[in-house]
């Protein structure tokens, strides 16, 4: 009997070794390399019908999916359980990595397996997980493909029921075998580039900010501003609508028509809270029922003088490009004179001519300062032909070199020029930036380029760094192969729409804006962190927040930051990127920017006795 038991034990152990299963076997994705080249963590949510161990991870690799791939296993709440770096990868196909120690998995509980694609180009088949998928003991729910833009972190976002072909190797427990409880890792892995340690998943974007108990600030001069959220108190409609709340930040959709609650809900999920330019039959009730806002004229009789979600009057668009200066100014003055004093602010958008030297200076400044309470400029650097013109004409108040013209830094240069024009009369107003979400080119010519998802986010962030108080998305693509009169709506109703990746990028950067609105709505400090950098620094609740990108003087790469005098910390925390950076004895730290559109946001505690992050 002893011999038989020993034989049975050996057979059982051999059976365990043979029992490893996975979810997707040798499936080859239809799309092995998505066109998105943004750094993203992609993964799969799964459960098991039996206890056991995850011994390793797998993912399908296509062309262009380059860089170091770090895999992670998480419990359903986002606590990291184990990590592994994929080594000895093949050029394409299924890649495999084994954990140093098998990870216990318990039946009925939810887990997420993921890996970081630092240069995007991940496998992705839309609608492939529209229905649940099972393989042996392992099951993936419908919509179980998840992602998170950035340099790592627990992925939770979903898109069009996509399968990103991330997998596990799972060994079920033998009968009578005890599987211990998971012990989450005490610290998340270092960032793939080895630049620092990582915070817990609870600290990842969207950021949850503490109450603003003031706390210490910085001993630095301030950037002049219009007053932040308090500015809106002078307009009774905006004040009643909550625009003076420091947690509110205006994000506008231009021609974002909607006709149902479901359409508004979708736009809100993208971070849109305000509209300008719409179908004149739009019922006002959709604004009030969904807590969104209208800037424009009285679309129809459902809009009344008492309509609080109708917060502003839109005077006109691009008057400077459609009229001579004298006629344009007469036109705008006529519009202003015809408006009642109804508690609504007045807003106009202009072309790049008001920040260039082609218009007489007095005319440009009159456009910017003479008629509005809020003003913006549209100049779609990434997608219109201007940057490639020969000869190139750098006619802007803030120089834009041709070599770096088609970069995010040019959007910031537009804001800097607009700030200079706005300051000319000594009365400041909020300045907004228009950003094309796909293509800003004219309908009679193919676009020079469509924006990539990373460029959309970079254009928005560089505008904020250069003091934009609101973002307006040009929500149309009027030429080329990917056309739409309403890009956001198209992404909602059209499976496989060519602009879906860009809309996902809009959603991601808007989520960052909304989560950081109390920070963004404070007055910036005037400080330069180092050469080749475009930065903004603010303080909130006892910490400094540094928003950073490369400037237009050079390409991407490493940059060195010098902290302001009196700020003595051992490290800075990089928001949403699962890492921290060491500060040397001279107050300097170094970070890398992979692309010209890349950005980082750093948090530095200022309160005495507060630990470094």
């Amino acid at each position: 009997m002893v011999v038989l038991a020993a034989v049975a034990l050996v057979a059982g152990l051999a059976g365990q070794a043979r029992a490893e299963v996975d979810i997707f076997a040798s499936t080859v994705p239809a799309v092995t390399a998505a066109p998105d080249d943004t750094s993203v963590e992609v993964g799969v949510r799964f459960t098991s019908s039996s206890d056991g161990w995850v011994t390793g991870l797998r993912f399908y690799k296509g062309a262009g999916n380059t860089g170091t791939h770090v895999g992670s296993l998480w419990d359903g709440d986002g606590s990291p359980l184990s990590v592994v770096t994929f080594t000895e990868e093949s050029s394409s196909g299924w890649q495999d990595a084994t954990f140093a120690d098998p990870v216990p998995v318990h039946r009925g509980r939810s887990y997420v397996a993921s890996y970081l694609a630092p240069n995007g180009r991940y496998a992705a088949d839309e609608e492939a997980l529209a229905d649940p998928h099972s393989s042996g003991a392992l099951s993936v729910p419908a919509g179980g493909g998840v992602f998170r833009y950035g340099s790592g972190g627990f992925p939770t976002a979903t898109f069009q029921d996509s399968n990103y072909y991330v997998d596990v190797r799972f060994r079920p427990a033998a009968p009578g075998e005890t599987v211990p409880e998971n012990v989450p890792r005490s610290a998340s892995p270092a960032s793939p580039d080895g630049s620092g340690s990582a915070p817990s998943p609870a600290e990842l974007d969207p950021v949850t900010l503490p109450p603003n108990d003031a706390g210490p600030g910085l001993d630095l001069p301030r950037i002049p501003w219009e007053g932040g959220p308090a500015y809106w108190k002078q307009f009774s409609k905006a004040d009643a609508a909550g625009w003076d709340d420091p947690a509110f930040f205006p994000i506008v959709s231009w021609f974002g028509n909607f006709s149902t609650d479901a359409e508004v809900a979708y736009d809100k999920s993208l971070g849109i809270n305000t509209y300008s330019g719409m179908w004149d039959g739009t019922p006002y009730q959709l604004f009030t029922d969904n807590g969104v806002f209208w800037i424009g004229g009285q679309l129809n009789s459902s809009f009344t003088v008492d309509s609080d979600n109708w917060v502003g009057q839109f005077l006109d668009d691009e008057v400077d490009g459609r009229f001579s200066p004298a006629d344009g100014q007469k036109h705008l003055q006529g519009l202003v004179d015809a408006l009642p004093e109804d508690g609504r602010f007045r807003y106009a958008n202009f072309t790049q001519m008001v920040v260039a030297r082609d218009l007489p200076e007095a005319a440009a400044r009159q456009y910017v300062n003479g008629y509005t309470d809020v003003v913006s400029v549209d100049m779609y650097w990434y997608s219109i032909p201007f940057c490639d013109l020969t000869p190139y004409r750098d006619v802007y108040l803030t120089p834009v070199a041709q070599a770096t013209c088609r970069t995010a830094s040019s959007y910031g240069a537009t804001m800097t020029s607009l700030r200079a024009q706005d300051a000319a009369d000594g009365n400041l107003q909020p300045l907004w930036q228009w950003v094309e979400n796909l293509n800003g080119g004219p309908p009679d010519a193919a676009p020079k380029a469509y924006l990539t998802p990373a460029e959309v986010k970079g254009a928005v962030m560089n505008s904020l760094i250069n003091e934009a108080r609101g973002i307006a998305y040009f929500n149309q693509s009027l030429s080329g192969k990917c056309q739409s009169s309403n890009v956001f709506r198209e992404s909602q109703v059209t499976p496989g729409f060519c602009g879906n990746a860009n809309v996902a990028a809009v959603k991601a950067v808007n989520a960052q804006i909304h989560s950081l609105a109390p920070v963004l709505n404070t007055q910036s400090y005037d400080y330069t962190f180092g050469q080749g950098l475009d930065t903004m620094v603010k303080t909130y609740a006892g910490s400094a927040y540094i928003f950073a990108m490369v400037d237009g003087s050079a390409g991407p790469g490493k940059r060195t930051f010098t902290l302001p005098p009196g700020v003595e910390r051992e490290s800075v925390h990089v928001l949403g990127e699962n890492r921290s950076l060491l500060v040397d004895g001279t107050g300097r730290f170094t970070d890398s920017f992979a692309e010209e559109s890349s950005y980082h946001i750093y948090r530095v505690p200022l309160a005495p006795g507060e630990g470094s992050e």
Side-chain angles (χ1 to χ4, degrees), residues 76-100:
D77 295 324
S79 295
L81 302 177
S82 190
V83 296
V84 64
T85 299
F86 288 81
T87 58
E88 300 181 3
E89 295 182 14
S90 60
S91 60
S92 62
W94 283 98
Q95 312 299 314
D96 195 287
T98 301
F99 289 126

Side-chain angles (χ1 to χ4, degrees), residues 151 191 193-195 533 548-550 555-561 574 577 579 581 589-602:
S151 299
S191 59
D193 63 1
S195 57
L533 284 165
M549 299 181 72
V550 299
K558 289 187 177 181
R559 296 291 192 275
T560 297
F561 296 72
V574 193
E577 297 190 31
R579 63 194 179 99
L581 299 170
F589 67 92
T590 299
D591 204 0
S592 293
F593 296 81
E595 304 292 340
E596 57 79 19
S597 57
S598 301
Y599 60 87
H600 304 300
I601 305 169
Y602 309 97

Side-chain angles (χ1 to χ4, degrees), residues 187-220:
S188 298
S191 59
D193 63 1
S195 57
S197 60
S200 67
E203 293 182 281
L204 300 175
D205 281 341
V207 178
T208 300
L209 294 172
N212 189 10
D213 55 0
L218 296 170
D219 187 17
L220 296 171

Side-chain angles (χ1 to χ4, degrees), residues 2 40 59 154 157 187 235 240 248 310 326 333 380 398 402 453 514-515 521 549 564 566:
V2 174
V40 62
F59 78 93
F154 182 52
F235 309 104
F248 176 80
W310 176 14
Q333 189 62 56
Y380 304 128
T398 303
Q402 186 168 22
H514 289 309
S515 64
N521 281 323
M549 299 181 72

Side-chain angles (χ1 to χ4, degrees), residues 140-485:
V140 177
V146 291
F147 68 91
R148 180 194 189 91
Y149 279 109
S151 299
F154 182 52
T156 58
T158 62
F159 182 76
Q160 300 287 345
D161 296 322
S162 295
N163 186 356
Y164 301 108
Y165 296 92
V166 184
D167 205 344
V168 298
R169 296 202 319 269
F170 174 72
R171 176 168 64 82
E177 189 176 10
T178 300
V179 176
E181 286 296 321
N182 299 109
V183 179
R185 294 168 56 88
S186 58
S188 298
S191 59
D193 63 1
S195 57
S197 60
S200 67
E203 293 182 281
L204 300 175
D205 281 341
V207 178
T208 300
L209 294 172
N212 189 10
D213 55 0
L218 296 170
D219 187 17
L220 296 171
R222 300 273 194 165
I223 298 289
W225 74 334
E226 77 295 333
Y231 178 87
W232 302 111
K233 287 184 174 295
Q234 63 186 299
F235 309 104
S236 60
K237 296 303 180 185
D239 186 32
W243 279 47
D244 61 333
D245 184 345
F248 176 80
F249 195 93
I251 299 182
V252 182
S253 174
W254 171 256
F255 274 99
N257 289 319
F258 54 69
S259 58
T260 67
D261 289 329
E263 290 179 344
V264 187
Y266 178 79
D267 292 351
K268 289 183 69 176
S269 77
L270 303 178
I272 304 300
N273 53 30
T274 306
Y275 296 82
S276 190
M278 295 192 82
W279 172 56
D280 59 11
T282 306
Y284 174 72
Q285 194 67 32
L286 285 173
F287 289 92
T288 56
D289 288 351
N290 293 282
V292 294
F293 307 105
W294 167 242
I295 302 173
Q298 183 178 10
L299 290 177
N300 52 63
S301 61
S302 68
F303 290 72
T304 72
V305 68
D306 297 322
S307 299
D308 285 342
N309 287 52
W310 176 14
V311 294
Q313 298 276 5
F314 185 69
L315 298 179
D316 205 344
D317 184 36
E318 298 186 337
V319 170
D320 56 324
R322 295 163 38 216
F323 296 85
S324 69
D327 288 343
Q329 290 165 16
K330 180 179 179 181
H331 171 70
L332 284 171
Q333 189 62 56
L335 294 173
V336 170
D337 292 343
L339 289 175
E341 293 293 336
D342 58 0
R344 297 181 170 95
F345 60 81
R346 295 162 182 174
Y347 167 51
N349 178 64
F350 295 101
T351 75
Q352 47 78 32
M353 291 177 66
V354 299
V355 294
R357 302 186 188 280
D358 290 331
L359 272 181
E361 181 181 84
R365 290 180 172 178
Q366 178 63 23
Y367 275 135
V368 171
N369 295 298
Y371 313 100
T372 58
D373 305 301
V374 186
V375 69
S376 63
V377 166
D378 58 41
M379 177 57 174
Y380 304 128
W381 298 94
Y382 273 127
S383 60
I384 66 173
F386 174 83
C387 293
D388 299 312
L389 293 180
T390 302
Y392 176 73
R393 299 179 66 248
D394 184 6
V395 295
Y396 298 99
L397 301 182
T398 303
V400 176
Q402 186 168 22
T404 54
C405 177
R406 204 176 296 284
T407 66
S409 67
S410 298
Y411 293 78
T414 299
M415 290 306 305
T416 300
S417 297
L418 185 59
R419 283 170 53 206
Q421 299 291 57
D422 180 52
D425 67 347
N427 297 313
L428 303 184
Q429 59 186 319
L431 309 179
W432 293 354
Q433 176 79 290
W434 280 38
V435 175
E436 69 272 46
N437 58 15
L438 188 58
N439 159 33
D444 57 350
K448 186 63 182 179
Y450 289 106
L451 275 72
T452 67
E455 289 170 347
V456 173
K457 295 193 290 184
V460 169
M461 189 56 62
N462 204 268
S463 301
L464 297 176
I465 286 172
N466 286 276
E467 302 296 324
R469 296 286 186 264
I471 296 296
Y473 288 102
F474 181 71
N475 187 37
Q476 298 175 306
S477 178
L478 303 177
S479 60
K481 296 181 179 179
C482 189
Q483 295 189 25
S484 175
S485 61

